[in-house]
Amino acid sequence: METELYNIFGNHFEQPLLDEIMSVGKLVEYPAGEMLMDIGNYVRSMPLLLSGAIKILREDDEGDELLLYYLEQGETCSVTMACCLGQTKSEIRAITETEAKMIMVPVQKMEEWLAKYRGWRNYVFDSYHSRLNELMQTVDSIAFKNLDQRLVDYLVKKSEVTNDKCIRSTHQEIAYDLHTSRVVVSRLLKKLEKMQKLILHRNYIELIDL
């Protein structure tokens, strides 16, 4: 844990802060597909992601999901931070996209470190800024892009975060993430296959030219 912490966060955090994280943080590992947090849960700790990817989802009143953004190495979830600081219930669902390793930091340390360490304050503000930009991109995508382009963007981003040209998600899972129907996703994937942008296999989608 120490080596990974220093390699990933050493340029962001002061030595005393790194020492505190080592002292109070808990190293955890999860397989792909593990739910880390659900809507309505209280947040007891905050993740610092050492490896892997986590997808953050929102749910509407009818129970349908929408993918908001991914967390990757060196990042944390600003929505989790807001829940921690406000002592409110989570409004998002977090699921590991790949195998993931992270350090869980107790919630009570957050405010203390904001006052104590400039590196932590900058990290928190940068995280809020990054997540806000990603949320704006999600809103823009829904408002201004047709579903064809949203699907392409989704497949490309998913390939980037998993570092794999093969997308191992069902058409229904993709439909959930894009807040649409499986029938529509299947039709658009067939269209992209005819355009020789991808190949549909039995259990995965192989990206060719997206």
Side-chain angles (χ1 to χ4, degrees):
M1 177 171 107
E2 183 175 3
T3 301
E4 290 174 297
L5 176 65
Y6 279 71
N7 287 342
I8 297 168
F9 294 98
N11 291 330
H12 302 286
F13 298 157
E14 301 91 329
Q15 184 61 50
L17 174 54
L18 292 168
D19 293 339
E20 282 206 53
I21 293 173
M22 282 296 301
S23 175
V24 303
K26 178 183 178 183
L27 180 66
V28 294
E29 298 183 50
Y30 295 100
E34 185 84 5
M35 186 181 295
L36 306 180
M37 182 189 305
D38 202 2
I39 296 165
N41 291 163
Y42 280 102
V43 180
R44 306 301 180 191
S45 56
M46 189 193 69
L48 298 176
L49 194 56
L50 298 177
S51 65
I54 300 170
K55 64 179 179 180
I56 306 299
L57 303 156
R58 189 82 166 90
E59 186 179 85
D60 66 15
D61 293 336
E62 298 178 356
D64 295 323
E65 293 177 333
L66 174 66
L67 175 65
L68 297 180
Y69 52 80
Y70 289 99
L71 298 179
E72 299 179 72
Q73 184 185 72
E75 296 183 335
T76 191
C77 183
S78 55
V79 177
T80 302
M81 289 183 180
C83 291
C84 287
L85 293 173
Q87 297 183 358
T88 58
K89 293 181 180 179
S90 170
E91 296 182 356
I92 56 95
R93 179 172 292 129
I95 301 174
T96 52
E97 180 68 26
T98 65
E99 291 182 358
K101 184 188 296 184
M102 63 200 77
I103 300 174
M104 303 304 293
V105 176
V107 61
Q108 60 267 25
K109 285 292 180 180
M110 286 192 57
E111 277 191 89
E112 177 186 328
W113 290 349
L114 282 172
K116 193 173 179 181
Y117 297 114
R118 181 177 180 180
W120 182 256
R121 289 196 299 274
N122 290 340
Y123 178 72
V124 169
F125 294 146
D126 287 345
S127 177
Y128 275 117
H129 183 258
S130 296
R131 296 292 84 80
L132 178 60
N133 283 340
E134 288 181 315
L135 286 173
M136 290 176 65
Q137 289 172 12
T138 299
V139 171
D140 287 347
S141 176
I142 295 171
F144 304 122
K145 292 184 179 179
N146 58 38
L147 192 55
D148 302 57
Q149 188 58 52
R150 286 179 59 206
L151 176 59
V152 169
D153 292 346
Y154 169 88
L155 294 172
V156 170
K157 182 62 177 177
K158 196 174 184 75
S159 176
E160 288 176 356
V161 300
T162 60
N163 194 31
D164 192 347
K165 286 291 186 181
C166 296
I167 305 300
R168 306 179 193 281
S169 300
T170 66
H171 294 191
Q172 184 62 70
E173 288 169 341
I174 296 172
Y176 284 143
D177 285 348
L178 293 177
H179 205 278
T180 186
S181 72
R182 181 194 58 78
V183 173
V184 171
V185 168
S186 296
R187 175 173 56 80
L188 293 177
L189 288 172
K190 280 288 187 184
K191 177 182 174 182
L192 290 170
E193 186 176 43
K194 288 180 180 179
M195 296 168 62
Q196 299 184 338
K197 299 294 185 180
L198 52 80
I199 301 174
L200 297 175
H201 296 274
R202 181 175 178 82
N203 296 313
Y204 64 94
I205 303 164
E206 182 181 356
L207 306 190
I208 303 298
D209 184 29
L210 287 182

Coordinates of all heavy atoms in Angstrom, one line a residue, residues 9 11-14 17 74 76 78 81 110 113-130:
F9 N -0.1 9.4 -5.2 CA -0.5 10.6 -4.6 C 0.7 11.5 -4.0 O 0.5 12.5 -3.5 CB -1.4 10.3 -3.4 CG -2.7 9.8 -3.9 CD1 -2.9 8.4 -3.8 CD2 -3.7 10.6 -4.3 CE1 -4.2 7.8 -4.2 CE2 -5.0 10.0 -4.7 CZ -5.2 8.7 -4.7
N11 N 2.9 13.3 -5.4 CA 3.0 14.7 -6.0 C 1.9 15.6 -5.6 O 2.0 16.8 -5.8 CB 3.1 14.6 -7.5 CG 4.3 14.0 -8.0 OD1 5.4 14.0 -7.4 ND2 4.2 13.3 -9.2
H12 N 0.9 15.1 -4.9 CA -0.3 15.9 -4.5 C -0.3 16.2 -3.0 O -0.7 17.3 -2.6 CB -1.6 15.2 -4.9 CG -1.8 14.8 -6.3 ND1 -2.1 15.8 -7.3 CD2 -1.7 13.7 -7.0 CE1 -2.1 15.2 -8.5 NE2 -1.9 13.9 -8.3
F13 N 0.1 15.3 -2.2 CA 0.0 15.4 -0.8 C 1.3 15.6 -0.1 O 2.4 15.1 -0.5 CB -0.6 14.1 -0.2 CG -2.0 13.8 -0.7 CD1 -2.5 12.5 -0.7 CD2 -2.8 14.8 -1.2 CE1 -3.8 12.3 -1.1 CE2 -4.1 14.6 -1.7 CZ -4.6 13.3 -1.7
E14 N 1.3 16.4 1.0 CA 2.5 16.6 1.9 C 2.8 15.3 2.6 O 2.0 14.4 2.8 CB 2.2 17.7 2.9 CG 1.8 19.0 2.3 CD 0.3 19.2 2.1 OE1 -0.4 18.2 1.9 OE2 -0.2 20.4 2.2
L17 N 0.7 14.3 5.5 CA -0.6 13.8 5.1 C -0.5 12.4 4.6 O -1.3 11.6 5.0 CB -1.2 14.7 4.0 CG -2.5 14.3 3.4 CD1 -3.6 14.0 4.4 CD2 -3.0 15.3 2.3
G74 N -6.1 7.3 -8.9 CA -5.7 8.7 -8.4 C -6.9 9.6 -8.1 O -6.7 10.7 -7.6
T76 N -11.1 10.4 -6.6 CA -12.1 10.0 -5.6 C -13.4 10.6 -6.1 O -13.5 11.3 -7.1 CB -11.7 10.6 -4.2 OG1 -12.5 10.1 -3.2 CG2 -11.8 12.1 -4.2
S78 N -16.4 13.1 -5.6 CA -16.8 14.3 -5.0 C -18.2 14.2 -4.4 O -18.5 14.9 -3.4 CB -16.6 15.5 -6.0 OG -17.4 15.3 -7.1
M81 N -17.7 12.9 -1.1 CA -17.2 13.9 -0.2 C -18.3 14.8 0.3 O -18.4 15.1 1.5 CB -16.2 14.8 -1.0 CG -14.9 14.2 -1.3 SD -13.8 15.4 -2.1 CE -12.3 14.4 -2.4
M110 N -11.9 14.1 7.0 CA -12.0 15.0 5.9 C -11.9 16.5 6.2 O -11.1 17.2 5.7 CB -13.3 14.7 5.1 CG -13.2 13.4 4.3 SD -14.6 13.3 3.2 CE -14.4 14.8 2.2
W113 N -8.5 17.5 7.7 CA -7.4 17.6 6.6 C -7.7 18.9 5.8 O -6.7 19.5 5.3 CB -7.4 16.4 5.8 CG -6.8 15.2 6.5 CD1 -6.2 15.2 7.7 CD2 -6.8 13.8 6.1 NE1 -5.8 13.9 8.1 CE2 -6.2 13.1 7.1 CE3 -7.3 13.2 4.9 CZ2 -6.0 11.7 7.0 CZ3 -7.1 11.8 4.8 CH2 -6.5 11.1 5.9
L114 N -8.9 19.3 5.6 CA -9.2 20.5 4.8 C -8.6 21.7 5.5 O -8.1 22.6 4.8 CB -10.7 20.7 4.6 CG -11.4 19.8 3.6 CD1 -12.9 20.0 3.7 CD2 -10.9 20.2 2.2
A115 N -8.6 21.7 6.8 CA -8.1 22.9 7.5 C -6.6 22.7 7.7 O -5.8 23.7 7.9 CB -8.7 23.0 8.9
K116 N -6.1 21.5 7.7 CA -4.7 21.2 8.0 C -3.7 21.2 6.9 O -2.5 21.6 7.0 CB -4.7 19.9 8.8 CG -3.4 19.6 9.5 CD -3.6 18.3 10.4 CE -2.4 17.9 11.1 NZ -2.6 16.6 11.9
Y117 N -4.2 20.7 5.7 CA -3.2 20.4 4.6 C -3.7 21.1 3.3 O -4.8 20.9 2.8 CB -3.1 18.9 4.3 CG -2.6 18.1 5.5 CD1 -3.3 17.2 6.2 CD2 -1.2 18.3 5.9 CE1 -2.8 16.5 7.2 CE2 -0.7 17.6 7.0 CZ -1.5 16.7 7.6 OH -1.0 15.9 8.7
R118 N -2.8 21.9 2.8 CA -3.1 22.6 1.5 C -3.2 21.6 0.4 O -4.1 21.7 -0.5 CB -2.0 23.6 1.2 CG -2.2 24.3 -0.1 CD -1.1 25.3 -0.4 NE -1.3 26.1 -1.6 CZ -0.4 27.0 -2.0 NH1 0.6 27.3 -1.3 NH2 -0.7 27.6 -3.2
G119 N -2.4 20.5 0.4 CA -2.5 19.5 -0.7 C -3.8 18.8 -0.7 O -4.4 18.5 -1.8
W120 N -4.4 18.6 0.5 CA -5.7 17.9 0.5 C -6.8 18.9 0.0 O -7.7 18.5 -0.7 CB -6.0 17.5 2.0 CG -7.3 16.8 2.1 CD1 -8.5 17.3 2.6 CD2 -7.6 15.5 1.7 NE1 -9.5 16.4 2.6 CE2 -9.0 15.3 2.1 CE3 -6.9 14.4 1.2 CZ2 -9.6 14.0 1.8 CZ3 -7.5 13.2 0.9 CH2 -8.9 13.0 1.2
R121 N -6.7 20.2 0.4 CA -7.7 21.1 -0.1 C -7.7 21.2 -1.6 O -8.7 21.2 -2.2 CB -7.4 22.5 0.5 CG -7.7 22.7 2.0 CD -7.8 24.1 2.4 NE -6.5 24.8 2.2 CZ -5.5 24.8 3.1 NH1 -5.6 24.2 4.2 NH2 -4.4 25.5 2.9
N122 N -6.5 21.3 -2.2 CA -6.3 21.4 -3.6 C -6.9 20.1 -4.3 O -7.6 20.2 -5.3 CB -4.9 21.6 -4.0 CG -4.3 22.9 -3.7 OD1 -5.1 23.9 -3.4 ND2 -3.0 23.1 -3.6
Y123 N -6.6 19.0 -3.7 CA -7.1 17.7 -4.2 C -8.6 17.7 -4.2 O -9.3 17.3 -5.2 CB -6.5 16.6 -3.4 CG -7.0 15.2 -3.9 CD1 -6.5 14.6 -5.0 CD2 -7.9 14.5 -3.1 CE1 -7.0 13.4 -5.4 CE2 -8.3 13.2 -3.5 CZ -7.9 12.7 -4.7 OH -8.3 11.4 -5.0
V124 N -9.2 18.1 -3.1 CA -10.7 18.1 -3.0 C -11.3 19.1 -4.0 O -12.3 18.7 -4.8 CB -11.1 18.5 -1.6 CG1 -12.6 18.8 -1.5 CG2 -10.8 17.4 -0.6
F125 N -10.8 20.3 -4.2 CA -11.3 21.3 -5.1 C -11.1 20.8 -6.6 O -12.0 21.0 -7.4 CB -10.6 22.6 -4.9 CG -10.9 23.3 -3.6 CD1 -10.0 24.0 -2.9 CD2 -12.2 23.1 -3.0 CE1 -10.3 24.6 -1.7 CE2 -12.5 23.6 -1.8 CZ -11.5 24.4 -1.1
D126 N -10.0 20.2 -6.9 CA -9.7 19.7 -8.2 C -10.7 18.5 -8.5 O -11.2 18.4 -9.7 CB -8.3 19.2 -8.3 CG -7.3 20.3 -8.4 OD1 -7.7 21.4 -8.6 OD2 -6.1 20.0 -8.2
S127 N -11.0 17.7 -7.5 CA -11.9 16.6 -7.7 C -13.3 17.2 -8.0 O -14.0 16.7 -9.0 CB -12.0 15.7 -6.5 OG -12.9 14.7 -6.6
Y128 N -13.8 18.2 -7.3 CA -15.1 18.8 -7.5 C -15.1 19.3 -9.0 O -16.1 19.2 -9.7 CB -15.4 19.9 -6.5 CG -16.0 19.4 -5.2 CD1 -15.3 19.6 -4.0 CD2 -17.2 18.8 -5.2 CE1 -15.9 19.2 -2.8 CE2 -17.8 18.4 -4.0 CZ -17.1 18.6 -2.8 OH -17.6 18.1 -1.7
H129 N -14.0 20.0 -9.4 CA -14.0 20.6 -10.7 C -14.1 19.6 -11.8 O -14.8 19.7 -12.8 CB -12.7 21.4 -10.8 CG -12.6 22.2 -12.1 ND1 -11.8 21.7 -13.2 CD2 -13.2 23.3 -12.6 CE1 -11.9 22.5 -14.2 NE2 -12.7 23.5 -13.8
S130 N -13.3 18.5 -11.6 CA -13.3 17.4 -12.6 C -14.7 16.8 -12.7 O -15.2 16.5 -13.8 CB -12.2 16.4 -12.3 OG -11.0 16.9 -12.3

